[in-house]
Amino acid sequence: MSAQRVLDLTYSFEERTLYWPTETGFHYWYEHHGPVAGEERFYAAGTFYAPEHGGTHLDGPLHFSEGGASVDRVPLEKCIGPACVIDFRRRAESDADAALSVSDLERHERQWGRLPDGAIVVAYSGWGRFWPQKKQYLGTDRWADVENLHFPGYSSELASFLLRERNIAALAIDTASLDPGRSRDFPVHRLWLGAGRPGFENLANVGALPPRGATIYGIPMKIAGGTGAPARVFAAIP
């Protein structure tokens, strides 16, 4: 990888990290940070608390599929693959509830060719420009307000098409959810995770990815039995 540029696609986990309105967020504190009593040396150690689903993270199949794989059982082969970035910023700019569609994919493939086997499809809405402003990014900044969420996502038609017609490893997006914010029954999550495929949400710096040519690595925290996990996502770009 030394001959390649590495692009960080992960938001730092901190007090401003965005989570679903019903979640309490990320918390970190130092248990010790300073000199050790009676010794001439420095020592630091901390503790963190966080829900599974927030910030840059992986959704495991178990999240929406009873009997689906937990995070520790998601094959790493499904977390690494050629990036295929589909840009639908123009529609998202005028419609906060825009959904990446089959026609968006067709337009992308006419220009860049058929999606390769094992690809990680990245939906590029441009929503990263709002991070970490909660109201702009989620559509609401009120605690537990899930009725007024507005941000782009995938369409269920595209998820179904990809499962039938393409051999895709994972979906990823630069918003808070694979489903658009206004969704109430989360069809994309149910379809995609129900088929045993993982998803990555809240990717950073997607605008710096080329449409093709990069390789994405999405490495989740290995939580036994987890439905999701914080992930360090990055791309190697030739």
Side-chain angles (χ1 to χ4, degrees):
M1 196 178 296
S2 59
Q4 299 175 318
R5 178 168 65 93
V6 177
L7 175 66
D8 194 352
L9 300 173
T10 308
Y11 291 112
S12 295
F13 284 86
E14 55 171 342
E15 63 180 12
R16 299 182 302 164
T17 298
L18 298 181
Y19 284 79
W20 210 248
T22 55
E23 299 287 4
T24 56
F26 183 86
H27 302 276
Y28 181 90
W29 62 95
Y30 288 114
E31 294 178 340
H32 187 90
H33 187 285
V36 178
E39 300 183 30
E40 294 184 359
R41 63 182 176 91
F42 172 86
Y43 174 73
T47 298
F48 72 87
Y49 159 83
E52 294 173 318
H53 300 275
T56 305
H57 70 283
L58 174 141
D59 279 359
L62 180 59
H63 187 33
F64 272 78
S65 175
E66 185 177 4
S70 54
V71 170
D72 55 309
R73 295 192 292 116
V74 173
L76 286 177
E77 291 83 357
K78 297 291 186 183
C79 301
I80 302 170
C84 296
V85 182
I86 305 179
D87 187 340
F88 69 126
R89 286 175 297 166
R90 182 172 297 179
R91 288 197 296 109
E93 285 176 1
S94 58
D95 179 8
D97 300 309
L100 193 70
S101 66
V102 175
S103 62
D104 292 318
L105 170 64
E106 291 171 342
R107 173 176 46 79
H108 174 88
E109 289 191 326
R110 282 194 298 271
Q111 183 172 4
W112 301 102
R114 183 184 173 96
L115 299 178
D117 289 349
I120 295 178
V121 175
V122 182
Y124 178 27
S125 72
W127 230 241
R129 68 188 185 277
F130 297 128
W131 185 278
Q133 302 168 77
K134 183 178 289 187
K135 187 169 185 178
Q136 290 88 339
Y137 192 81
L138 297 177
T140 179
D141 58 1
R142 292 184 293 170
W143 167 254
D145 180 13
V146 296
E147 300 299 321
N148 294 292
L149 294 170
H150 293 283
F151 49 78
Y154 283 85
S155 69
S156 58
E157 292 78 14
L158 178 57
S160 295
F161 179 88
L162 292 174
L163 289 171
R164 290 194 319 268
E165 305 293 340
R166 301 289 185 271
N167 181 19
I168 305 303
L171 298 182
I173 194 166
D174 60 351
T175 73
S177 175
L178 298 179
D179 284 281
R182 66 179 178 181
S183 175
R184 296 294 176 264
D185 54 356
F186 303 99
V188 176
H189 278 83
R190 291 188 287 112
L191 285 164
W192 193 256
L193 303 182
R197 315 288 178 92
F200 294 92
E201 297 167 335
N202 295 320
L203 260 62
N205 301 319
V206 170
L209 277 172
R212 296 286 180 94
T215 300
I216 285 184
Y217 298 79
I219 311 303
M221 183 177 181
K222 193 175 182 181
I223 302 175
T227 72
R232 187 64 185 266
V233 184
F234 59 94
I237 304 174

